Each structure stands twice: as C-alpha cells, then as structure tokens.
Amino acid sequence: FGWRGLCIEPNAGLLPWLRNYRSCTVVHNCVTETADADRVFRGRDGSFAFSADCLPLSDILEQHGLRGQRIDVLSIDVEHGELGVLRGLRLQDFDIQVLIIEVTHGARWLEVETEVLQHGYAKVGVLGRDVVYAKLELLLQRLPQKFERRSPEWKQTSNSFLPGYAEESDASETSLPEAKAQCEQLGAQCSGVTCSTVEAKEVCSARSGQQLYHSPHAEVSHTKRDSGGLPHDAVRLPPNWAAFHQRVVDEELKLEQEREREAMLKG
C-alpha cells in the first residue's frame, strides 16, 4: 500500500523477527512517561527477561522527523502501560488521525479517555480490548453534510464579567460584533465576551474564563454556547469532570479488588 511505519519494541530478542517480517523502521526502545535508561523487565516468575532504554513517545517521534507530519494511525499495545505512553506524548504537537489503544479492564479506560478526548478526538469504535479514537477534523472531512460546523449561540448576562483575556486578544477592546467574531475564531480558547461602557461607548473584549462573576461596574457578558455539530477545536472537559473521574475510578478499583479477593478464595 506504499505506507511507511515506525515500530517501537523494547525486547531485543524480537528485533530480528520484526526486521525480517516488517517493512517498517524498527526502534529498540521502551516507551514511558519520562526517560529511564536501562530499565529491567522481568518475567512472571520474577527472573530477568530483558532491558531497554525508555523514552517518552514524543521524543522518539521527533527523532524520526514526525513532528508536524501527518500520522495516519498510532497503535498502542504496551500491556498495562498505556497511560505512561499517553502522558509522554504531546498530542497537540503531532497530527495523528487515528489512535488504537489496547485498554486494560477496570478503571483504566476512563483515565485513557481523559488523556485523549480533551485533545479533539472522539471514540468511534471498540474492538475487543482495543479502543479506536479518531480526530474530530477527520470526521468533519468524511461526514461534512452531517456534522457541519454551525455558529455558536450567545447568552447575555447583565452585571457580570468573565475573567481572563483570551489568548492572542491582547486585552484589545472593540465593538460587540467584532469581539464575538474574534471569540469564534479563537475557538476553545475563548468562552465569551465581556462589555463595559466607557464614555457612553460600549467596548468589549474576548475572555477565556468559564465562570461568570458579579460585576459592580454594570458590565455585561455574552457567553458562547455550541449550537450543534462537531467543533474543530479541542474538546473542553466539563468543570466537574475531575470529581466524576475520581469517583468512577474509585468504584472500579473497589470492584477489581473484590473480584481478585473472590478469585483467591476460590483458588
């Protein structure tokens, strides 16, 4: 098919097989969140199996000139180490279209979702223990008639302000229509627009803060709400996501411990 690939394998004993039966570039490394030289891997009985130098995935991809290049598919199958791989990958620095990740049972799936979805991906399939994520931009290209982007809806709130100026806006103040247009262009970096009256003239600026605060200066805020369709920008997790995430993780871990206890009692 004319594709080019990169295969990262820590077990030196498997490298000759990969080089003989695969046409991809084979890299002898293990992949972790942080660099770790000469990490030892052991078998189920605790005996030495092999060792390898570990690097974050971002470093390995950059070493092979893939930063800024289109990567059609990234497959992660690392036997319970998927979170370390994802945390060592700056997804915003690479144009990865599709991610296929083998996810262990229990609470791990939710932690993987948290790492991936906030970077503008959607879960599109589950193949056994492999979860498939696709970039939202790719879905927009393939299904433009169904998922076309629409202009956001705006909600006006009197006597309120949004904190923090949106990135690139440089606290510039302008008319309401111009501020709204600027906010739409900034995408997820901008939550809305706050306006005030200066010398009988309304001046507005794009803001990044999501929480509305009471304004003692009669300011008026216009918060941006998605009117449907898939956004081009990165997904913004809801404010209560961390608490929800922790609650589900705790529940899943408790269930796992109960299952392990039952298995031990049954022998």
Side-chain angles (χ1 to χ4, degrees):
F1 297 98
W3 66 276
R4 294 183 299 115
L6 192 69
C7 179
I8 307 167
E9 171 59 52
N11 189 346
L14 296 177
L15 299 181
W17 294 89
L18 290 170
R19 288 171 176 145
N20 284 331
Y21 293 101
R22 297 283 186 90
S23 61
C24 58
T25 299
V26 178
V27 179
H28 182 209
N29 278 117
C30 57
V31 182
T32 50
E33 183 175 356
T34 57
D36 186 5
D38 202 28
R39 172 178 287 193
V40 172
F41 292 82
R42 300 186 181 277
R44 292 181 182 271
D45 60 357
S47 62
F48 175 86
F50 58 89
S51 64
D53 291 335
C54 299
L55 291 172
L57 185 54
S58 284
D59 292 359
I60 296 173
L61 296 179
E62 285 186 5
Q63 288 173 6
H64 289 81
L66 293 173
R67 180 167 183 168
Q69 301 296 313
R70 179 187 171 104
I71 299 173
D72 293 296
V73 179
L74 173 63
S75 176
I76 300 174
D77 183 352
V78 288
E79 307 303 330
H80 309 284
E82 56 271 11
L83 273 178
V85 172
L86 288 170
R87 289 169 180 167
L89 171 63
R90 297 184 301 275
L91 275 169
Q92 65 272 21
D93 291 347
F94 299 92
D95 184 17
I96 302 171
Q97 301 295 299
V98 175
L99 286 160
I100 304 174
I101 305 173
E102 184 187 53
V103 181
T104 52
H105 293 300
R108 190 60 58 88
W109 71 268
L110 184 59
E111 295 177 284
V112 168
E113 305 271 271
T114 302
E115 293 293 330
V116 174
L117 297 183
Q118 62 183 309
H119 292 286
Y121 288 85
K123 181 193 284 188
V124 295
V126 179
L127 310 172
R129 292 175 63 184
D130 293 336
V131 182
V132 184
Y133 303 93
K135 214 170 189 178
L136 291 173
E137 292 176 0
L138 179 65
L139 298 178
L140 286 166
Q141 293 168 7
R142 298 299 176 90
L143 302 168
Q145 71 285 357
K146 187 175 181 181
F147 295 109
E148 62 182 7
R149 191 179 185 183
R150 303 171 191 169
S151 298
E153 296 174 352
W154 294 89
K155 180 182 178 181
Q156 179 176 321
T157 306
S158 301
N159 301 314
S160 67
F161 73 93
L162 289 164
Y165 292 102
E167 188 176 336
E168 299 177 8
S169 70
D170 296 325
S172 59
E173 295 184 327
T174 182
S175 67
L176 178 58
E178 290 175 339
K180 283 184 175 180
Q182 183 184 51
C183 191
E184 290 184 27
Q185 288 179 347
L186 289 170
Q189 299 174 30
C190 179
S191 297
V193 171
T194 293
C195 302
S196 59
T197 302
V198 179
E199 296 180 355
K201 179 182 178 182
E202 183 182 53
V203 290
C204 306
S205 57
R207 302 296 181 97
S208 60
Q210 298 184 53
Q211 180 66 46
L212 281 170
Y213 292 90
H214 174 73
S215 171
H217 306 294
E219 293 172 291
V220 177
S221 291
H222 303 262
T223 48
K224 185 175 63 172
R225 296 186 298 176
D226 186 16
S227 60
L230 290 172
H232 288 284
D233 311 290
V235 175
R236 179 173 289 165
L237 298 177
N240 61 345
W241 179 262
F244 167 75
H245 171 276
Q246 192 59 53
R247 186 174 69 252
V248 175
V249 167
D250 291 342
E251 291 173 356
E252 290 280 359
L253 289 176
K254 184 179 179 180
L255 288 172
E256 285 181 12
Q257 290 170 355
E258 291 175 355
R259 284 193 291 264
E260 289 176 0
R261 218 170 15 245
E262 290 176 6
M264 284 180 56
L265 292 173
K266 290 179 180 178

Coordinates of all heavy atoms in Angstrom, one line a residue, residues 10 62 80 102 116-117 119 141 226:
P10 N 10.8 -3.0 22.9 CA 11.9 -3.0 23.9 C 12.7 -4.3 24.0 O 13.8 -4.3 24.4 CB 11.1 -2.7 25.2 CG 9.8 -3.3 24.9 CD 9.5 -3.0 23.5
E62 N 9.9 12.7 17.4 CA 10.6 13.9 17.0 C 12.0 13.4 16.4 O 12.4 14.0 15.4 CB 10.8 14.8 18.1 CG 9.6 15.6 18.5 CD 9.9 16.7 19.5 OE1 11.0 16.9 19.9 OE2 8.9 17.3 20.0
H80 N -0.6 -2.8 29.9 CA -0.9 -2.1 31.1 C -0.1 -0.8 31.2 O -0.2 -0.1 32.2 CB -0.6 -2.9 32.4 CG -1.3 -4.2 32.4 ND1 -2.7 -4.4 32.6 CD2 -0.8 -5.5 32.2 CE1 -3.0 -5.7 32.5 NE2 -1.9 -6.3 32.3
E102 N -4.9 -0.4 23.2 CA -5.4 -1.6 24.0 C -5.5 -1.1 25.4 O -4.6 -0.6 26.0 CB -4.4 -2.7 23.9 CG -4.9 -4.0 24.7 CD -3.9 -5.1 24.8 OE1 -2.8 -4.8 25.3 OE2 -4.2 -6.2 24.4
V116 N -7.1 11.4 26.2 CA -7.3 11.5 24.7 C -8.3 12.5 24.3 O -8.1 13.4 23.4 CB -7.6 10.1 24.1 CG1 -7.9 10.2 22.6 CG2 -6.4 9.2 24.3
L117 N -9.5 12.5 24.9 CA -10.7 13.2 24.4 C -10.4 14.7 24.4 O -11.0 15.5 23.6 CB -11.9 12.8 25.1 CG -12.4 11.4 24.9 CD1 -13.7 11.2 25.7 CD2 -12.5 11.0 23.5
H119 N -8.0 16.4 23.6 CA -7.2 16.9 22.5 C -8.0 16.8 21.2 O -7.3 16.9 20.1 CB -5.9 16.1 22.4 CG -5.0 16.3 23.6 ND1 -4.3 17.5 23.7 CD2 -4.7 15.5 24.6 CE1 -3.6 17.4 24.8 NE2 -3.8 16.3 25.4
Q141 N -14.2 15.9 7.8 CA -13.9 15.8 6.4 C -14.7 14.7 5.7 O -15.1 14.8 4.6 CB -12.4 15.5 6.3 CG -11.5 16.6 6.6 CD -10.0 16.2 6.8 OE1 -9.7 15.1 6.4 NE2 -9.2 17.1 7.3
D226 N -22.1 26.2 22.1 CA -22.1 25.4 20.8 C -23.6 25.1 20.4 O -24.3 24.6 21.2 CB -21.3 24.1 21.0 CG -21.2 23.4 19.7 OD1 -21.4 24.0 18.6 OD2 -20.8 22.2 19.7

